[in-house]
Amino acid sequence: MTERMREPSGQTVGAGALLTILRHGQARTRAELVQLTGLARSTVSQRLDALLDQRWIVPAEEAISSGGRPAIAFAFNRNARLVLAADLGATHARLAVTDLASTVLVERAFDLAIDRGPEETLGWLVATFREMLAEIGHSVAEVCGVGLGLPGPVEHASGRPVNPPIMPGWDAFPVPDWLGARLGAPVLVDNDVNIMALGEHWAVRPETDHLIFVKVGTGIGCGIITERHLHRGAQGAAGDIGHIRVTSADDVVCRCGNVGCLEAVAGGAAMAVRLRQAGETAENSRDVVRLVRAGNTQAVQLIRQAGREIGDVLASIVNFFNPGVIVIGGDVAEAGEHILAGVREVIYSRSLPLATQHLGIRASVLGDRAGVVGAAVMVIEHVLAPEAVDLSVAG
Ligand SMILES: [Zn+2]
């Protein structure tokens, strides 16, 4: 690593930038940091002291010898702070406490009805987080941030839900203020699909530049990673593919009021309705998967066809966006190859050869943990951003 980091118009590389370098393993010692940044040795020392003081880094066990005197190595301290992460769905919730590398320290899953409204739901969240922290011998004082995924549209900048169809009472509720006042840490909120995309990208495919994460659950939505960053769009509504019109379904009315939406033919709720009409017992998307796994012919045919409908919409998106990987997650994705086969069939026959040449279409590896991992990642990226670290060491 011979090239030095450029410093824009005399601005110095701060403590936060040094932390990023150490965190990514680009340098480990004082001398390597001097070499990489072009900063004076005394400046590097001063900034390392500040980072040590705030426990963002620790002296590493290893000492690196390069002929002369052994140099002390420094390492990012993943245990410096704790992160609270929650993925709230329509009917269930998953909560986790993680370290700064998004490693889950304690995790719990619950049945939870989000339609009980924000104060009851978030009050329960605060109490449960406190219990989980106590369980591992920690307290809220060590928490640097809270990440929360909600099953509806969220204006990310304010963290407020915007007309969420399945969350009565939540519209414009100030979630970050309410939770922040009770947990004493910054709160970041996004929709569930975006955090799942973040989690899967960070933990499983960090080397992929352009990724689409499709959640097929009760409804259908997708999260978009471009240049390794989440793309939310102008208002945070990017990726809402569930309400794209599919030609085969002109007579099907969607819950949004339009006809022919993808979600109204290929979503888990829609499939459950079709199976009930065929005389099967299916209340929700999980029941659909249960029937598929049991080898029910109707259910298998239905989910293959759903895969093709989803593939039809994704084929256009592949031409438009040219992702490297499409990940299929959510409850219905638990049906595995049955849904992937339908998706692949249509995408490979309908998208341009150049766009599909190296395209991978895979099931989510994290499964129902993608949301909590992504919620933690959202907080970690915020807290460890160089400018945020600079502020923390400035006192
Ligand atoms: Zn719709």
Side-chain angles (χ1 to χ4, degrees), residues 242-244 253-264:
H243 303 281
I244 289 178
V253 180
C254 179
R255 65 185 164 94
C256 75
N258 286 325
V259 290
C261 293
L262 176 64
E263 178 173 305

Side-chain angles (χ1 to χ4, degrees), residues 26-47:
Q26 294 163 291
R28 288 175 299 168
T29 64
R30 211 177 305 257
E32 286 171 358
L33 285 167
V34 168
Q35 159 82 16
L36 186 68
T37 61
L39 292 175
R41 192 178 170 86
S42 58
T43 310
V44 168
S45 294
Q46 200 178 32
R47 295 198 175 137

Side-chain angles (χ1 to χ4, degrees), residues 84-214:
L84 303 179
D87 178 16
L88 304 188
T91 55
H92 38 278
R94 186 172 287 262
L95 275 59
V97 180
T98 80
D99 67 12
L100 290 174
S102 83
T103 307
V104 172
L105 306 175
V106 58
E107 181 181 19
R108 291 212 207 139
F110 304 86
D111 287 328
L112 171 91
I114 198 106
D115 59 9
R116 281 196 270 167
E119 297 199 2
E120 190 178 334
T121 306
L122 296 177
W124 168 85
L125 194 69
V126 169
T128 311
F129 272 141
R130 286 181 184 277
E131 278 171 28
M132 289 168 71
L133 283 165
E135 199 179 305
I136 54 170
H138 291 281
S139 77
V140 286
E142 295 157 87
V143 172
C144 66
V146 185
L148 177 63
L150 292 175
V154 174
E155 186 187 60
H156 181 66
S158 68
R160 292 169 184 242
V162 181
N163 293 316
I166 58 166
M167 299 167 62
W170 286 78
D171 185 30
F173 188 83
V175 177
D177 293 349
W178 201 96
L179 272 183
R182 285 154 182 86
L183 291 169
V187 178
L188 301 176
V189 190
D190 208 336
N191 76 61
D192 53 353
V193 193
N194 279 351
I195 61 166
M196 290 171 91
L198 260 187
E200 189 84 14
H201 182 260
W202 165 290
V204 184
R205 306 182 184 283
E207 76 295 339
T208 303
D209 292 333
H210 308 287
L211 176 148
I212 298 250
F213 185 100
V214 183

